[in-house]
Amino acid sequence: MVTVKQLQDVNFSSQCSPFSLQGIKIPLYRFGSNSILDDGCAGRISCVLEGEEEESVLDSIVLAQWEDRMWKGLFRYDVTASEIKFVGGRKKFIAQFNEGWSRDFMPRMGKNTSFCQEDLFKFSWMERQEELLFSVASGEKSNAELVLSAAVPDCALLIVINASPVEYGHVFLVPHGSKIIHQFLDKRSLELVLHVAVEINNCSFRLFYGYSPSAPRMYFQACYLQIPLPVELMRFDTIFGAGKEGMRISSVADYPIKTLVLESNHFKTMMEVLAEICSCLQEKLIPYNLLISDHGKRIFLFFQLQTSTNSILSAWECGGYFLFKSRSEFDQATEEALLKQLSTVSLDDKGFQAVKLLCCSVASKFAS
Amino acid sequence: MESELGLIEQSLISSYSVWVHEALSGLPDSFTITDPSISGHPIVFASKGFLKMSGYSKNEVVGRNGRVFQGPGTCRRSVMEVREAIREERAVQVSLLNYRKDGTPFWMLFHMCPVFGKEDGRVIHFVGVQVPISRRPRRSGGRNGVGLCEERSRMSEIVYGSCRKEVCFDSLVDLGRVLSLESALDDADSRGFDIEESCEASDVEKMRAATAINNILSVLTHYSESTGRLVCGKRCSLSGVGLLSSALNISLGRIKQSFVLTDPNLPDMPIVYASDAFFKLTGYARHEVLGRNCRILSGADTDSSMIYRIKESIQNETACTVRILNYRKDKSSFWNLLHISPIRNASGKIAYFVGVQMEEGCKNQVGHGLSPEMRQLSAVGAVRIAVRSLSMGAGPSKS
């Protein structure tokens, strides 16, 4: 159950915040403390077939808010009007023809690698308040709670539309809080993001993240994809398994970009292991992308080569979903070309071996 | 109004006559039949063999979705394969780790296939056969060494190597006998064998599943003759106009709000889908609205200028919200805050219009803190996602 109330302005400090949210009031979703995540109960959530799960409140909020902004004309185009198709071949890569899409419209967050936080956000939320959908934070109450209008609390996730959506429901999930180091994915933000993945309870909902030492990002992205991404249908070779309760790590077989999959039914295990793995990778300046699917029970890690050029692929591209700006490119897309595109940016065998070892050693630390 | 229970009971009878239950009960195999046109894609028939294997009673299974048998160790990828097969309305054979009522896991070969209506090509049901698998892991990985797997595999051979042959070639053998052995082996599993280790069925098991499917299909085909609505295991005709794929039916079934989909590409824009909440709100039954125009909701005092506004927005392919007086089947009226929006498919073209109804002043909508307007918009969003990948074709294979 979720209760609603109007909240008065809570004490809100924006001193250390990289961007001001002073005076801004948006809906706030607070997770319940006795949620499905506690003491491994997540393991009991049965695995569901598409469309057979109950619609969750969090899911409804995202959809309603996104649809509301579509109705208000905040998007640069109607993404559902852009054609999608399978690219012929065995991998079932997905191609979208979208003239309006551009990488440049990604918010310029974290472009400046210095620790001068004022520069991190190139725009003010005041001017683009309409793009803010709502915020998500943890709560003390036993049940989840929706507050229709509230200031954004410290240590929250801002859910913001991407005006150039890649798919329906495309949002940014931006960690917000005084203690967040914006260049790095911290454990608290990761916990919130994973919690969203679980609580939204919709297997079409996918979350993405990309880390590159040259352009660290401090935000996740998410959208709804009804069909599975090609990488999700690949065969796995398990390289690490810590029994029934623990974590399983597998490498994706026969896929052009080096990919690992973390699988666990236990939220805490998943969160701890993933946070540690991400932090190790960042320490060693190894670029990676994350794809969170299946209610947060399956997380894909894609490994790209570190290059000086900024040809870093996004997580959905790594997963097999490609956008084409021109009709002819879209029509002429071949599996061969896409395989090549992925394999040229992929980490090499030697590097992958090292990454595998690293991930397994992290997981084994938590296995006991 | 047709109750959900009535729908489930009628599901087999309306397609295959009242005699089909008896005929299906005579089959020894473990199988279930599901109906994708009912919200939640529930099981409408479970065989004795299935109930025995799963430990559930009939009442605990019928009306529920097949997911209740899955658990933490069930391979996500295999589930995805099944989901894809449902979406593409084709047969699939995968190894699945399922759970009995008492929580013990067991491996089975799941063979599912759609049953098509001969005339319109619509998927009437899905038949799913479950064949228990003797443990023979596909590959050994992680900590569970090869030795253990092989030992385990050898053990199965010894315990009921010959018995298994009986099962394969004599379909009348008492399944229970094998099953008790099966669970004895599962106990061995919990002693130092990771049950979640992936497991592949043998050719014999695969054959057994295929044979069972054929037997069930021939029963269904035979009994469909008596209702005049013939079914077959292979799609005989292209999906008829105005028919929704079962995958779309399943996706739409999870949306709880009252809404209809109308097809603007058909003459007079008929309703091609209506949600359970719509039947509840209006008092109509499914067969009374499918194929008909939304004007059945209009009546004497319905403002024609509102109808004009709706027509206008449909013509302009835009969304609109109107407050319109509508009538139920019993002629009682209600103010409907109707939201209409075009819905596009994979080609980016308008496939349907969605109309989400909201009864003004209706208190008993469980909102969980969401305003009725938000719930209305979230339904539109959910419909967009469900239809977005519809009729997604493959590009030319040039690689």
Side-chain angles (χ1 to χ4, degrees), chain B residues 25-44:
Chain B
S25 300
L27 297 172
D29 311 281
S30 163
F31 66 97
T32 52
I33 301 177
T34 57
D35 187 338
S37 73
I38 302 175
S39 171
H41 193 190
I43 292 167
V44 294

Side-chain angles (χ1 to χ4, degrees), chain A residues 212-214 287 304-312 344-345:
Chain A
S212 146
S214 55
Q304 299 186 41
L305 267 181
Q306 193 171 351
T307 51
S308 49
T309 58
N310 50 353
S311 62
I312 300 280
T344 45
V345 300

Side-chain angles (χ1 to χ4, degrees), chain B residues 303-319:
Chain B
D303 187 349
S304 57
S305 70
M306 284 302 141
I307 294 176
Y308 181 75
R309 269 191 60 189
I310 293 170
K311 278 189 179 153
E312 208 177 38
S313 87
I314 288 169
Q315 234 153 43
N316 299 334
E317 305 187 338
T318 53

Side-chain angles (χ1 to χ4, degrees), chain A residues 240-261:
Chain A
F240 177 87
K244 216 174 268 186
E245 302 296 312
M247 163 74 76
R248 183 159 43 195
I249 301 179
S250 317
S251 66
V252 177
D254 195 25
Y255 198 68
I257 187 162
K258 296 282 188 286
T259 309
L260 289 180
V261 197

Side-chain angles (χ1 to χ4, degrees), chain A residues 197-316:
Chain A
V198 175
E199 198 137 327
I200 212 157
N201 194 31
N202 184 333
C203 51
S204 300
F205 194 72
R206 311 284 203 302
L207 287 139
F208 308 99
Y209 178 80
Y211 166 78
S212 146
S214 55
R217 290 170 207 164
M218 46 167 290
Y219 57 91
F220 274 79
Q221 303 188 54
C223 65
Y224 291 88
L225 295 166
Q226 177 85 346
I227 36 169
L229 285 166
V231 72
E232 295 172 329
L233 294 170
M234 292 292 118
R235 197 168 53 77
F236 303 161
D237 290 326
T238 300
I239 55 168
F240 177 87
K244 216 174 268 186
E245 302 296 312
M247 163 74 76
R248 183 159 43 195
I249 301 179
S250 317
S251 66
V252 177
D254 195 25
Y255 198 68
I257 187 162
K258 296 282 188 286
T259 309
L260 289 180
V261 197
L262 310 184
E263 288 176 288
S264 174
N265 288 304
H266 294 266
F267 180 83
K268 285 251 157 67
T269 316
M270 185 65 113
M271 204 261 297
E272 301 274 353
V273 174
L274 183 64
E276 185 66 22
I277 287 176
C278 290
S279 129
C280 287
L281 292 171
Q282 284 169 185
E283 232 166 68
K284 295 190 184 338
L285 303 175
I286 299 169
Y288 66 90
N289 293 83
L290 291 180
L291 158 66
I292 303 179
S293 66
D294 241 334
H295 314 85
K297 292 199 193 79
R298 286 209 297 176
I299 297 178
F300 293 80
L301 279 150
F302 305 102
F303 296 99
Q304 299 186 41
L305 267 181
Q306 193 171 351
T307 51
S308 49
T309 58
N310 50 353
S311 62
I312 300 280
L313 295 182
S314 61
W316 53 84

Side-chain angles (χ1 to χ4, degrees), chain A residues 1-4 43-57 59-61 63-65 67-68 70-71 78-89 92 94 96 146 148 166-168 200-204 206 224-228 232-245 248 263 265 294-295 297-298 321 331-336 364 367, chain B residues 40-41 65-68 70-77 79-84 86-88 90 99 105 138-144 190 194-198 247 250-251 253-257 318-321 339-341 344-349 366-371 373-375 377-382 384-389 391-399:
Chain A
M1 268 304 289
V2 172
T3 52
V4 193
R44 297 293 133 211
I45 314 171
S46 64
C47 133
V48 287
L49 294 178
E50 182 132 14
E52 288 143 6
E53 63 232 316
E54 281 281 316
E55 217 177 355
S56 75
V57 175
D59 195 22
S60 299
I61 300 169
L63 291 175
Q65 294 279 79
E67 187 64 30
D68 173 69
M70 199 167 162
W71 174 245
D78 173 5
V79 72
T80 67
S82 50
E83 189 177 343
I84 44 172
K85 67 167 185 182
F86 291 114
V87 175
K92 290 184 110 177
I94 303 160
Q96 182 188 132
L146 172 64
L148 290 179
V166 161
E167 253 311 330
Y168 189 87
I200 212 157
N201 194 31
N202 184 333
C203 51
S204 300
R206 311 284 203 302
Y224 291 88
L225 295 166
Q226 177 85 346
I227 36 169
E232 295 172 329
L233 294 170
M234 292 292 118
R235 197 168 53 77
F236 303 161
D237 290 326
T238 300
I239 55 168
F240 177 87
K244 216 174 268 186
E245 302 296 312
R248 183 159 43 195
E263 288 176 288
N265 288 304
D294 241 334
H295 314 85
K297 292 199 193 79
R298 286 209 297 176
Y321 194 104
D331 287 340
Q332 285 156 24
T334 63
E335 183 169 289
E336 204 177 11
S364 62
Chain B
H41 193 190
N65 182 273
R67 68 166 177 262
V68 296
Q70 294 157 6
T74 310
C75 170
R76 327 284 309 157
R77 189 175 156 267
V79 172
M80 216 157 206
E81 262 179 65
V82 176
R83 188 197 291 167
E84 273 304 281
I86 292 174
R87 200 175 69 77
E88 291 167 6
R90 59 170 166 80
Y99 289 74
R138 180 159 45 197
R139 69 191 60 236
S140 53
R143 296 172 167 187
N144 303 291
S190 53
D194 186 1
I195 184 80
E196 292 178 24
E197 199 70 22
S198 67
I250 294 167
S251 304
R254 93 186 257 271
I255 305 168
K256 299 295 167 223
Q257 287 84 356
T318 53
C320 80
T321 301
H339 181 87
I340 290 170
S341 184
R344 298 167 185 277
N345 64 11
S347 66
K349 304 212 163 57
V366 194
H368 296 296
L370 294 167
S371 67
E373 290 77 13
M374 275 173 95
R375 284 173 56 75
L377 285 177
S378 78
V380 177
R384 280 197 210 288
I385 295 164
V387 178
R388 170 76 173 136
S389 57
S391 45
M392 196 167 155
S397 179
K398 288 175 183 168
S399 53

Side-chain angles (χ1 to χ4, degrees), chain B residues 153-162:
Chain B
S153 169
R154 242 178 281 133
M155 191 170 137
S156 328
E157 288 298 312
I158 296 160
V159 175
Y160 65 114
S162 57

